Amino acid sequence: MDFDVISPKTREALLEAMDACQDKKYRFGAGYTDLINDLNANPQEDLTVINLAQLQDDVFSNITEDDSGLHIGALVTAAQVLENEYVQTHFPVLWEAANSVASMQIRQTATLAGNICQASPSGDMSCALVALNAVCDIINTRDEMRIEPLANFFRGVKKTSLAKYEILRSIFIPKNIQYNIKSGYVKIGTRVSMEIAILSVAYHLQVDEKNIIAAAGIAIGAVAPTIKYTQTACEFLIGRSLYEIKDVVLENFSSQVLNYATPISDVRASAWYRTTVLENVTKIIFD
Amino acid sequence: MNKNLKIIGKSTPKLDGKERVTGSAVYGHDIDLPNMLHGMILRTKYPCANIISIDTSAAKALEGVACVITAADVDVNMIGYKRDHPILKSNTVNCNRDEIAAVAATSKEIARKALSLIKVEYEVKQGVYDPFEALLEASPTLNERGKGLEQFGNKNMAESFHYEHGDLEAQKARSKVIVTKRYETSRVTHCCLGTSNITASYSKLDGSLTLWASTQVPFLYQRDIAHALKMDASKIRVLQPIIGGGFGSKLDMHPFEPICALLSIQTGKPVQILYDREEEFLASPTRQPMVIDLTTGADAEGRFTFREVKIVLDNGAYTSWGATTPFVMMQTYSSLYQVPACWFQADAVYTNNPFAGSFRGYGNPQATFSIETNIDLMAKELGIGKDEIRLINANYKGEITGQGLHFKTCGAQPALEKVIAESAYKEKINRGDTGRYRRGIGLASMLHVGGGAKIYRSDGCGTRLKLDHYGYLTIITGSNEIGQGSETILAMIAVEELGIPMDKIKVINTDTDVKPWDVGVHASRTSFVAGNSMLGAVKLIKEKLSKEAMKLLSIDAADFDYKDGSMFSSEKEIKIDKVVREMHFGSNELCQVEYFYEPPSSFQDKRFMGDVSGNYAFASQAIEVEVDTVTGNVKVMDVWVSQDVGRVLNPVGLQGQMEGGIATGIGFALTEEMIYAEGKLINPSFHGYKLLTSMDMPTVHFFPIETYDEAGPYGSKGAGEAPLIPTAAAIANAVADAIGVEFFSLPISAEKVLKALATVKENQLV
């Protein structure tokens, strides 16, 4: 493995480096938990790695809270997400997803944006963020910013909407509109640790004082080429009482979720298994 | 046996523990010799093909490449247990790990590049991946060197074992219940954390070859390398760096090892070959996948009447030691519990799959899975408790089994009783949970050799002891350490018997030029055989010390006590180092002894009858599982294990063996499986191959049974393989108890469980 490394320390230097690499093959490196494996498996010649590990930029590196919600920098690690009290209190789905990433050692270095930009259909934090209606903050080499809902950001297996001259800077999660939440991440796999989801379900429901669902976000992972936001299933829940979701209503909800699943059979599980377990999981969310 | 022991029976840290945990241990991967080249192997692209041509010219022309070899460049013998395996393949390739060419280059990158420049033209053939298909008349001959037709009446049969005792038909006639099932076990692999490695250094000056190799059997290995390369065995020196996991995988010599030697011979430079993880999955040994057709019977009281079993082993393309696993399995079928009649047939059949090797348990986990599942089925049919039927039939002290195994001590019944009581088996069985999570409990027992196994001309071990005039003891043992902790046991014996402190003991066990003969690490034999050899040597050195000490103390007769580096006789005391100094510089005599121990076991006759081991180990496990009916995942909650170890030598080491074995057993039962598509491995990584981690481990409650067998050092028995042998069987029985569905194939994956639950649900609806 042989590549050039550029280690920008400021945002300006980063954008310059990206600009200078427009005619070359380049990759971003931050936590290196996926990149090194990838380069070992697919050796590339004349590659430049823009190393983000030394970048000093608050937007890239910090978690900040404002009136509208929470901003999480691209370089925030899974371990930092886990330590954040706002995430713990308001977004349990994200906390549980971050806690299920690989192992404790890997979580110390794996970054949020790394998890997202791999665009794996089984990305844990990505799945939780889609359920949370997260929005991407993207900048380009001219320092212009664009925003895009995360669900649209994913375009296929290992494909995102990022252009070569762009970089994901941070993720925004809108504030909860209700105090009461039912929020969690179900990851199906063989091992407790060091596992990649065979399938996953992220749910984030907000209910009012009368237990009426006021907002719902449900995303499913590893059952389609991208993580899917189950729009109609979410809409189906709005306005219903939490206690009403059983029997026929539950069956109906479940089939709404399953409509978004187009699983494949691979070495880890068959399509039958993925579909069956997805159906089973949708039914235990409300237990 | 009840004498007060100083250190035996007390937890003692492993001698190599500090190096291992601080990272200072030198593994084969850490060896770096001057001018060393890096070797790599080109493996076949197809599992079954004719090779039309091999063109290495572009690879040879690459700068930095020192040599490229193919079969055409070397004069070597066939390798493997049946000598049916070419080191480098020339006309045909027969499985997906086949070696076609090898390169040595100044860097790994250049070596990799060189491999990509070798052009091989293939004529792809349809392979045979199912052993039953291979047995058909119409199948092609899968190994041209196989002698199956002459020896066993089928061209694709690599090895065959038959055993029987008792009157099968009479026992069938008196059976109240007869259960027949087909069991299938999967292909799993050892997953040693240290991948396969070798460094070879050939001297063109004197024709000597030094190998830094992670073998378990250095002297057999020396002989195998010599045979492969047509060299004198004594020209080959085998050095063993610290080994990153053995578990049976390093019993056979594999092609990469003579290949590395050949690269060094050709270049005159040291050459190193290291596998990466993918190559390790692809090309290191596996456990034998088996199809076992088992019929068993019991009479109205639940007493076993007979076992009739036919086993087909997928031998793969070549024959390794793995083909001899039926030798161990037949003991389990003939002698685990009291069995009046047994008929056993096992055939290893060539296929175009990779060849299997030896793996901790050596066929016994597969055999035990089938027997113990059948026992539960018979108990159910007879309406007898699953614990009760096992107790009725348990092996006993003094028993000589149908095969001639003589159980001079036997902890089978106490082990069963212990796990039944400790697990609260009676209260937990048949709980009939109906919610999302369903608990179940299962029982299984095992029998394994505990005092070596007489399969080679000698099952012995030599020991040399050297006491220096500073009071330090050097133990030079033929046995070797592959992580099992036996060298620590030898040092503990020295502390116990000679009163020399642990920090004044050195164990030398890594160099075939220095150490005496030993057959190697296998069959749970090392602490037993090397321990007895050590005790023999200790007796001799005590005689020497005693003679000199009596002279120095001017006493005629004395029975010395050895403590804290000194010898005591009534009121008198003398330091050991002083005795040795007087011996060396006064009497001009070295304080050295050597001893050879050969176990009292005997060879089995042609019918496989005989008392093959110095003693026998027994164990039972009760395992509680929780099945998640939403996902099909089976979680192992608690394992209660009780094992007849004769006597506990090092409790912390023994606990480690228990936990490690059980971890492997759980993987075999639930998650591990090498998946092949038309002979090609499709999950060669820890991503796709589900080796469990420490996070998945249940609590292991261990209750040793001490039967003080006089054959073993301090009454001990071999313990290394046993803990994984009954695990899969107990888990299968526990899952059946939890959800009411039996499983006859391993692994019991989440998908299989969910399918079974779906079928039950459908049947209920009908």
Side-chain angles (χ1 to χ4, degrees):
Chain A
M1 199 186 320
D2 188 24
F3 47 78
D4 292 330
V5 180
I6 309 174
S7 298
K9 308 257 185 325
T10 63
R11 187 176 62 181
E12 292 72 23
L14 165 66
L15 299 180
E16 260 173 47
M18 286 165 58
D19 197 39
C21 285
Q22 285 307 303
D23 299 328
K24 299 186 202 163
K25 270 191 284 185
Y26 84 92
R27 297 281 299 269
F28 292 114
Y32 294 92
T33 56
D34 281 322
L35 186 67
I36 298 296
N37 287 343
D38 193 9
L39 295 182
N40 266 328
N42 309 295
Q44 290 178 33
E45 282 172 20
D46 307 320
L47 179 77
T48 301
V49 170
I50 299 182
N51 170 37
L52 303 173
Q54 295 177 19
L55 182 67
Q56 300 290 323
D57 183 282
D58 288 349
V59 185
F60 272 97
S61 305
N62 293 348
I63 305 182
T64 50
E65 179 195 329
D66 61 25
D67 288 346
S68 56
L70 193 69
H71 302 264
I72 308 180
L75 298 177
V76 168
T77 63
Q80 288 171 312
V81 170
L82 290 172
E83 283 160 15
N84 186 275
E85 280 179 29
Y86 194 93
V87 172
Q88 288 166 16
T89 316
H90 300 281
F91 307 129
V93 60
L94 178 59
W95 191 90
E96 288 179 18
N99 196 42
S100 77
V101 172
S103 67
M104 185 187 274
Q105 292 90 329
I106 289 172
R107 292 195 288 269
Q108 303 304 313
T109 175
T111 61
L112 182 81
N115 195 252
I116 293 170
C117 293
Q118 274 293 100
S120 162
S122 54
D124 294 308
M125 291 189 286
S126 302
C127 189
L129 289 167
V130 169
L132 288 165
N133 289 299
V135 177
C136 303
D137 163 358
I138 296 160
I139 55 170
N140 66 18
T141 47
R142 289 186 303 225
D143 207 11
E144 294 156 345
M145 179 183 150
R146 75 174 171 96
I147 56 169
E148 181 173 38
L150 182 60
N152 295 351
F153 179 76
F154 298 120
R155 300 293 163 92
V157 177
K158 296 200 167 195
K159 287 195 189 101
T160 69
S161 73
L162 273 189
K164 194 173 181 182
Y165 50 83
E166 290 180 322
I167 184 168
L168 178 63
R169 179 169 63 170
S170 72
I171 288 288
F172 169 72
I173 309 171
K175 204 172 169 178
N176 289 340
I177 54 168
Q178 294 289 338
Y179 180 73
N180 294 319
I181 51 169
K182 188 170 178 57
S183 175
Y185 182 67
V186 181
K187 177 174 179 171
I188 306 300
T190 308
R191 290 185 284 242
V192 172
S193 184
M194 291 305 288
E195 189 58 289
I196 292 171
I198 290 172
L199 74 103
S200 58
V201 178
Y203 58 93
H204 187 71
L205 310 175
Q206 303 181 46
V207 294
D208 67 15
E209 314 77 57
K210 291 172 190 151
N211 282 310
I212 302 298
I213 299 171
I218 289 159
I220 53 178
V223 285
T226 60
I227 291 161
K228 291 284 179 188
Y229 184 78
T230 62
Q231 182 77 32
T232 60
C234 297
E235 284 163 6
F236 176 81
L237 293 176
I238 308 278
R240 292 179 191 271
S241 161
L242 207 49
Y243 304 115
E244 182 197 331
I245 320 290
K246 55 185 178 190
D247 306 327
V248 184
V249 180
L250 183 58
E251 294 284 347
N252 206 334
F253 162 73
S254 181
S255 66
Q256 301 268 8
V257 174
L258 257 68
N259 281 341
Y260 289 86
T262 51
I264 54 159
S265 292
D266 63 13
V267 70
R268 293 179 303 134
S270 69
W272 174 86
Y273 180 81
R274 289 189 160 99
T275 308
T276 307
V277 176
L278 179 59
E279 185 179 352
N280 289 349
V281 171
T282 55
K283 290 177 180 168
I284 55 161
I285 293 175
F286 298 93
D287 278 358
Chain B
M1 287 296 169
N2 291 323
K3 73 172 179 176
N4 248 341
L5 297 175
K6 289 176 280 214
I7 186 167
I8 295 294
K10 296 187 174 68
S11 282
T12 305
K14 289 173 78 175
L15 291 187
D16 59 353
K18 285 180 190 165
E19 279 106 313
R20 293 231 186 203
V21 299
T22 56
S24 55
V26 177
Y27 292 88
H29 308 70
D30 301 319
I31 291 168
D32 192 3
L33 301 175
N35 302 316
M36 188 176 81
L37 300 170
H38 299 271
M40 274 191 197
I41 293 169
L42 180 73
R43 295 178 193 280
T44 180
K45 206 169 162 187
Y46 306 98
C48 186
N50 292 327
I51 297 177
I52 308 295
S53 66
I54 306 169
D55 178 3
T56 59
S57 55
K60 280 178 175 158
L62 185 69
E63 197 183 329
V65 172
C67 101
V68 181
I69 55 171
T70 65
D73 304 310
V74 296
D75 174 24
V76 291
N77 281 320
M78 295 279 163
I79 65 167
Y81 165 68
K82 287 269 177 178
R83 304 283 185 243
D84 61 357
H85 190 177
I87 296 167
L88 286 160
K89 284 69 180 172
S90 50
N91 301 320
T92 64
V93 283
N94 297 303
C95 77
N96 87 327
R97 43 167 98 128
D98 273 4
E99 300 80 0
I100 294 175
V103 302
T106 50
S107 75
K108 286 181 199 165
E109 287 72 20
I110 294 171
R112 192 174 291 117
K113 175 87 185 163
L115 289 188
S116 72
L117 296 173
I118 298 172
K119 292 187 198 81
V120 183
E121 201 184 332
Y122 301 90
E123 181 196 353
V124 179
K125 296 189 290 187
Q126 177 60 44
V128 178
Y129 306 106
D130 173 9
F132 290 96
E133 188 189 329
L135 286 171
L136 299 177
E137 191 77 26
S139 277
T141 300
L142 297 175
N143 186 316
E144 289 155 17
R145 289 151 297 265
K147 295 196 173 59
L149 198 58
E150 303 96 282
Q151 292 180 345
F152 316 115
N154 186 302
K155 60 182 183 291
N156 285 330
M157 222 181 259
E159 183 58 290
S160 179
F161 288 87
H162 181 79
Y163 166 81
E164 57 184 272
H165 78 250
D167 186 340
L168 195 72
E169 293 312 315
Q171 291 297 334
K172 277 187 183 174
R174 57 178 289 266
S175 299
K176 163 93 176 179
V177 55
I178 292 180
V179 170
T180 301
K181 287 289 167 202
R182 168 168 283 195
Y183 294 89
E184 292 177 61
T185 64
S186 59
R187 193 184 288 272
V188 294
T189 188
H190 310 70
C191 298
C192 299
L193 286 189
T195 54
S196 299
N197 63 88
I198 184 167
T199 308
S201 181
Y202 179 76
S203 165
K204 288 197 168 176
L205 300 177
D206 62 4
S208 68
L209 175 66
T210 305
L211 299 173
W212 286 260
S214 49
T215 172
Q216 294 180 212
V217 288
F219 289 102
L220 298 185
Y221 184 85
Q222 183 188 40
R223 185 202 59 176
D224 284 349
I225 292 270
H227 174 263
L229 302 180
K230 303 184 177 178
M231 283 180 72
D232 280 344
S234 271
K235 284 274 186 196
I236 298 163
R237 181 182 183 191
V238 181
L239 297 169
Q240 291 173 279
I242 286 186
I243 290 172
F247 316 113
S249 64
K250 292 155 176 72
L251 195 65
D252 280 287
M253 179 196 73
H254 301 283
F256 78 98
E257 295 166 297
I259 286 174
C260 190
L262 287 165
L263 291 169
S264 180
I265 290 168
Q266 297 257 335
T267 58
K269 290 181 178 174
V271 179
Q272 183 173 71
I273 294 182
L274 306 178
Y275 281 11
D276 63 16
R277 184 56 60 186
E278 186 175 335
E279 194 170 22
E280 183 75 10
F281 271 108
L282 198 76
S284 67
T286 72
R287 200 183 283 289
Q288 288 66 30
M290 294 184 192
V291 177
I292 301 172
D293 288 307
L294 175 65
T295 302
T296 60
D299 66 16
E301 282 74 49
R303 297 200 72 88
F304 297 157
T305 47
F306 75 95
R307 286 186 188 140
E308 185 178 21
V309 62
K310 192 162 181 352
I311 304 167
V312 171
L313 291 84
D314 183 348
N315 191 63
Y318 310 103
T319 312
S320 71
W321 276 111
T324 68
T325 49
F327 182 80
V328 171
M329 299 172 79
M330 69 174 72
Q331 287 164 29
T332 303
Y333 287 103
S334 76
S335 305
L336 170 62
Y337 304 99
Q338 301 165 48
V339 187
C342 176
W343 187 96
F344 173 97
Q345 177 68 40
D347 302 321
V349 181
Y350 286 119
T351 62
N352 290 117
N353 291 319
F355 51 98
S358 84
F359 194 162
R360 193 176 187 178
Y362 215 76
N364 208 346
Q366 296 98 310
T368 302
F369 166 58
S370 69
I371 290 172
E372 290 285 348
T373 307
N374 252 30
I375 291 174
D376 267 23
L377 295 172
M378 291 195 294
K380 197 165 141 189
E381 219 169 304
L382 286 167
I384 297 179
K386 291 166 183 170
D387 50 346
E388 209 182 317
I389 196 169
R390 288 178 167 85
L391 287 166
I392 291 171
N393 291 284
N395 295 113
Y396 58 91
K397 183 179 172 177
E399 182 182 354
I400 298 175
T401 75
Q403 201 181 351
L405 314 184
H406 186 182
F407 301 151
K408 296 178 198 82
T409 56
C410 176
Q413 183 152 342
L416 258 171
E417 284 166 348
K418 192 73 189 169
V419 298
I420 290 167
E422 293 291 341
S423 67
Y425 182 86
K426 285 180 192 300
E427 291 87 83
K428 288 177 180 167
I429 188 82
N430 298 325
R431 185 156 45 192
D433 286 352
T434 53
R436 172 178 174 183
Y437 296 104
R438 298 179 195 172
R439 293 264 180 130
I441 191 162
L443 260 185
S445 301
M446 77 97 224
L447 156 72
H448 204 68
V449 291
K454 195 83 128 195
I455 50 165
Y456 194 71
R457 272 189 74 191
S458 163
D459 193 28
C461 174
T463 304
R464 291 202 182 99
L465 296 181
K466 183 184 110 177
L467 253 173
D468 70 15
H469 48 273
Y470 304 106
Y472 280 64
L473 177 75
T474 304
I475 303 168
I476 304 164
T477 171
S479 69
N480 52 106
E481 173 71 33
I482 63 164
Q484 80 277 40
S486 62
E487 66 182 11
T488 308
I489 299 283
L490 298 184
M492 288 169 74
I493 292 175
V495 173
E496 187 66 48
E497 298 297 326
L498 295 170
I500 296 170
M502 194 59 110
D503 59 4
K504 289 189 173 178
I505 294 170
K506 306 170 202 180
V507 182
I508 305 290
N509 54 0
T510 58
D511 186 345
T512 52
D513 270 5
V514 174
K515 65 182 194 170
W517 158 262
D518 173 81
V519 76
V521 179
H522 71 101
S524 304
R525 69 185 281 282
T526 309
S527 290
F528 177 93
V529 179
N532 274 335
S533 181
M534 176 71 193
L535 282 169
V538 161
K539 191 163 169 251
L540 294 179
I541 209 160
K542 275 183 171 176
E543 282 168 14
K544 254 183 183 282
L545 287 168
S546 186
K547 202 172 118 200
E548 186 73 20
M550 283 192 288
K551 202 163 80 186
L552 294 171
L553 295 171
S554 306
I555 45 177
D556 291 336
D559 191 10
F560 287 99
D561 278 337
Y562 293 80
K563 213 167 70 185
D564 304 328
S566 288
M567 300 167 67
F568 297 85
S569 175
S570 29
E571 303 295 285
K572 298 193 171 177
E573 174 191 351
I574 187 162
K575 286 195 170 307
I576 288 178
D577 54 329
K578 182 174 167 52
V579 177
V580 179
R581 271 197 298 278
E582 291 305 323
M583 212 184 280
H584 284 185
F585 310 126
S587 317
N588 296 129
E589 189 187 344
L590 290 172
C591 193
Q592 292 191 10
V593 296
E594 61 179 35
Y595 184 79
F596 187 76
Y597 170 77
E598 185 68 38
S601 49
S602 55
F603 283 109
Q604 290 176 331
D605 63 17
K606 281 183 180 157
R607 296 170 306 139
F608 298 107
M609 296 285 184
D611 195 20
V612 73
S613 183
N615 63 29
Y616 297 89
F618 305 86
S620 291
Q621 293 183 7
I623 298 184
E624 188 169 9
V625 303
E626 184 176 83
V627 179
D628 182 348
T629 56
V630 166
T631 64
N633 277 331
V634 176
K635 186 172 184 205
V636 179
M637 309 303 288
D638 283 277
V639 177
W640 292 269
V641 52
S642 185
Q643 185 169 323
D644 174 5
V645 296
R647 176 176 210 138
V648 178
L649 299 175
N650 185 1
V652 69
L654 191 57
Q655 181 76 25
Q657 286 282 32
M658 293 299 136
E659 291 179 4
I662 286 164
T664 305
I666 294 172
F668 180 54
L670 297 175
T671 61
E672 293 180 42
E673 184 172 21
M674 302 178 87
I675 305 169
Y676 289 84
E678 291 286 291
K680 287 200 107 167
L681 180 65
I682 55 173
N683 59 337
S685 71
F686 284 130
H687 168 46
Y689 183 91
K690 298 296 182 185
L691 184 75
L692 295 173
T693 78
S694 59
M695 301 293 283
D696 301 289
M697 270 303 276
T699 310
V700 174
H701 313 271
F702 174 44
F703 309 96
I705 302 286
E706 299 192 304
T707 50
Y708 306 112
D709 190 288
E710 63 179 25
Y714 306 96
S716 64
K717 301 178 172 187
E721 290 169 281
L724 83 81
I725 292 169
T727 306
I731 290 173
N733 287 340
V735 174
D737 180 48
I739 62 171
V741 185
E742 284 91 13
F743 290 86
F744 307 109
S745 81
L746 298 179
I748 305 169
S749 64
E751 186 147 351
K752 280 185 196 164
V753 171
L754 212 60
K755 277 227 164 82
L757 286 166
T759 312
V760 170
K761 209 168 160 189
E762 254 171 46
N763 292 344
Q764 280 168 351
L765 290 175
V766 175

